[in-house]
Amino acid sequence: MRTIRDSLSRSSTASLKSKTEKADEVISTIETALQCQICMEMLLKPYALSPCGHILCLPCLQEWFRKAPPSADDMDIDPEDFEDPQYIMNRQKSCPCCRATVLHRPVPVFLVKSVATTLLKAKGPGHTAGTPVSRADGTSTVDGEDPWSGLFPADEDMEDMDDDYDFDEAGYMPWMFGADSDEDFESYGSAGDESMDDDEEDASDDDSVTSYYVPAYVPSVWERPHVHFSGGQRHDPQYVKMRRRGCTRDMIRMYGMTYSHDDGLVVYVRSLDPDIAVTAFREADRANVHTIRIFVGWNVHLAPGDRGGHAYVNALLHEYQEHPERFAPIARANGGWDIKALVRVDDVEELSEDDTTDSDVWHDSIR
């Protein structure tokens, strides 16, 4: 009997030890995920950046927005002006993780704060977040009435900006395309834009002004398919349409792609960071608020050998970082983000409504 009891005791101890090790591993993984990527401390004051979604702690973000290296747009500014409060508040802000342009004031993430606080308490006395209560210059890192005072325009100023630059029916803001708010959207930078012609004439009369042409980017429109793919009865109609528009089977599966006549091709990604390893799409990702939808237009053109579409999507994410003006980020009602790739106005093919059909009419003409 004693031998049996000893055996059961050893078995129970081993089982308990295994469960404890697994629990410690899970806690360690969660703790790592809840670390600020700048100070590597627990996110007790987490703030999310828009639209990239990276979350960092308040003190680190405040420091970054004050002292981040100047961007290419700031190269012509006198270095002495880098400390000017107006310059700091109005300069273009970027994410310290992926360098994506920050379009809105960072917002607190209370769920992350709650989990981090609970985890910190569970670790017991002696464990702190490690976030200092003051910076090197003596300013406080503690939340005030407005943690972004002096870094972002006040809320009422941003509301005034919304009044000056109204969203149109599609949810775009005119400043995304480098045009005046009272101009017709479809005429931005086009050859028939009389306002541009007037500007160019004024510039030619003034030798001190350098005249140059900046191509305008506008929302893409329906395009005819460009790949011959017959498909078969076993294929879903949507799958056939995506294949005819340049998508491969592997790309469709990897990125959970969808197609519709109104929205075109949609790619689903978990991050806008091109350096993050790609993981295969799961159907549950479609309803995940953190999943980002990228509307890439009505056709894709993959490089030879890019069967999975990884090079295409990676290049798209790099372009989003380097040229955010070529994209239109739109907030979804559930808190997620849609990113719509824009196209050069010169590349838009004008088709009548009768010609924009997904029937086999266009496909049959492809050889």
Side-chain angles (χ1 to χ4, degrees), residues 223 226-227 245-247 299-303 306 312:
E223 295 176 319
H226 68 99
V227 175
R245 295 181 173 280
C247 305
N299 280 308
V300 299
H301 300 272
L302 303 182
D306 186 22
Y312 173 86

CSV table of all heavy atoms in Angstrom, one decimal, residues 223 226-227 245-247 299-303 306 312:
chain,number,residue,atom,x,y,z
A,223,GLU,N,-12.2,47.6,-63.2
A,223,GLU,CA,-11.4,47.3,-64.3
A,223,GLU,C,-11.8,45.9,-64.9
A,223,GLU,O,-12.2,45.0,-64.2
A,223,GLU,CB,-9.9,47.3,-64.0
A,223,GLU,CG,-9.4,48.6,-63.5
A,223,GLU,CD,-7.9,48.4,-63.0
A,223,GLU,OE1,-7.6,47.4,-62.4
A,223,GLU,OE2,-7.1,49.3,-63.4
A,226,HIS,N,-7.9,40.5,-66.6
A,226,HIS,CA,-6.8,40.5,-67.6
A,226,HIS,C,-6.1,39.1,-67.7
A,226,HIS,O,-5.1,38.9,-68.4
A,226,HIS,CB,-5.7,41.5,-67.1
A,226,HIS,CG,-5.0,41.1,-65.9
A,226,HIS,ND1,-3.8,40.5,-65.8
A,226,HIS,CD2,-5.4,41.3,-64.6
A,226,HIS,CE1,-3.4,40.4,-64.6
A,226,HIS,NE2,-4.4,40.9,-63.8
A,227,VAL,N,-6.7,38.1,-67.0
A,227,VAL,CA,-6.1,36.7,-67.0
A,227,VAL,C,-7.2,35.8,-67.6
A,227,VAL,O,-8.4,35.8,-67.1
A,227,VAL,CB,-5.6,36.3,-65.7
A,227,VAL,CG1,-5.2,34.8,-65.7
A,227,VAL,CG2,-4.5,37.2,-65.2
A,245,ARG,N,-8.5,37.9,-62.3
A,245,ARG,CA,-8.0,39.2,-62.0
A,245,ARG,C,-6.6,39.2,-61.4
A,245,ARG,O,-6.1,40.1,-60.8
A,245,ARG,CB,-8.9,40.0,-61.0
A,245,ARG,CG,-10.3,40.2,-61.7
A,245,ARG,CD,-11.3,40.9,-60.8
A,245,ARG,NE,-12.5,41.3,-61.6
A,245,ARG,CZ,-12.6,42.3,-62.4
A,245,ARG,NH1,-11.5,43.1,-62.6
A,245,ARG,NH2,-13.7,42.5,-63.1
A,246,GLY,N,-5.9,38.1,-61.6
A,246,GLY,CA,-4.5,38.0,-61.3
A,246,GLY,C,-4.1,37.3,-60.1
A,246,GLY,O,-2.9,37.1,-59.8
A,247,CYS,N,-5.1,36.9,-59.2
A,247,CYS,CA,-4.8,36.2,-58.0
A,247,CYS,C,-4.5,34.8,-58.2
A,247,CYS,O,-5.1,34.1,-59.1
A,247,CYS,CB,-5.9,36.4,-57.0
A,247,CYS,SG,-6.5,38.1,-56.7
A,299,ASN,N,-7.7,44.5,-60.0
A,299,ASN,CA,-6.7,43.6,-60.6
A,299,ASN,C,-5.4,43.6,-59.8
A,299,ASN,O,-5.1,44.7,-59.2
A,299,ASN,CB,-6.4,44.0,-62.0
A,299,ASN,CG,-7.5,43.5,-63.0
A,299,ASN,OD1,-7.8,42.3,-63.0
A,299,ASN,ND2,-8.0,44.4,-63.8
A,300,VAL,N,-4.7,42.5,-59.8
A,300,VAL,CA,-3.3,42.5,-59.2
A,300,VAL,C,-2.4,41.9,-60.3
A,300,VAL,O,-2.8,41.1,-61.1
A,300,VAL,CB,-3.2,41.6,-57.9
A,300,VAL,CG1,-4.1,42.1,-56.8
A,300,VAL,CG2,-3.6,40.1,-58.2
A,301,HIS,N,-1.2,42.4,-60.3
A,301,HIS,CA,-0.2,42.0,-61.2
A,301,HIS,C,1.0,41.4,-60.5
A,301,HIS,O,1.8,42.2,-59.9
A,301,HIS,CB,0.2,43.1,-62.2
A,301,HIS,CG,-1.0,43.6,-63.0
A,301,HIS,ND1,-1.3,43.1,-64.2
A,301,HIS,CD2,-1.8,44.6,-62.7
A,301,HIS,CE1,-2.4,43.8,-64.6
A,301,HIS,NE2,-2.7,44.7,-63.7
A,302,LEU,N,1.1,40.1,-60.4
A,302,LEU,CA,2.2,39.5,-59.6
A,302,LEU,C,3.5,39.3,-60.4
A,302,LEU,O,3.4,39.1,-61.6
A,302,LEU,CB,1.8,38.1,-59.1
A,302,LEU,CG,0.5,38.1,-58.2
A,302,LEU,CD1,0.2,36.7,-57.7
A,302,LEU,CD2,0.6,39.1,-57.0
A,303,ALA,N,4.6,39.5,-59.8
A,303,ALA,CA,5.9,39.3,-60.4
A,303,ALA,C,6.1,37.8,-60.7
A,303,ALA,O,5.5,36.9,-60.0
A,303,ALA,CB,7.0,39.8,-59.6
A,306,ASP,N,6.1,34.8,-57.9
A,306,ASP,CA,5.4,35.3,-56.7
A,306,ASP,C,4.1,34.6,-56.6
A,306,ASP,O,3.0,35.2,-56.6
A,306,ASP,CB,5.3,36.8,-56.7
A,306,ASP,CG,4.7,37.3,-55.4
A,306,ASP,OD1,4.8,36.6,-54.3
A,306,ASP,OD2,4.1,38.4,-55.4
A,312,TYR,N,4.1,40.9,-53.5
A,312,TYR,CA,3.1,41.9,-53.9
A,312,TYR,C,2.6,42.6,-52.7
A,312,TYR,O,2.6,43.9,-52.6
A,312,TYR,CB,2.0,41.3,-54.7
A,312,TYR,CG,0.8,42.2,-55.0
A,312,TYR,CD1,0.8,43.1,-56.1
A,312,TYR,CD2,-0.3,42.3,-54.1
A,312,TYR,CE1,-0.2,43.9,-56.4
A,312,TYR,CE2,-1.3,43.2,-54.4
A,312,TYR,CZ,-1.3,44.0,-55.5
A,312,TYR,OH,-2.3,44.9,-55.8
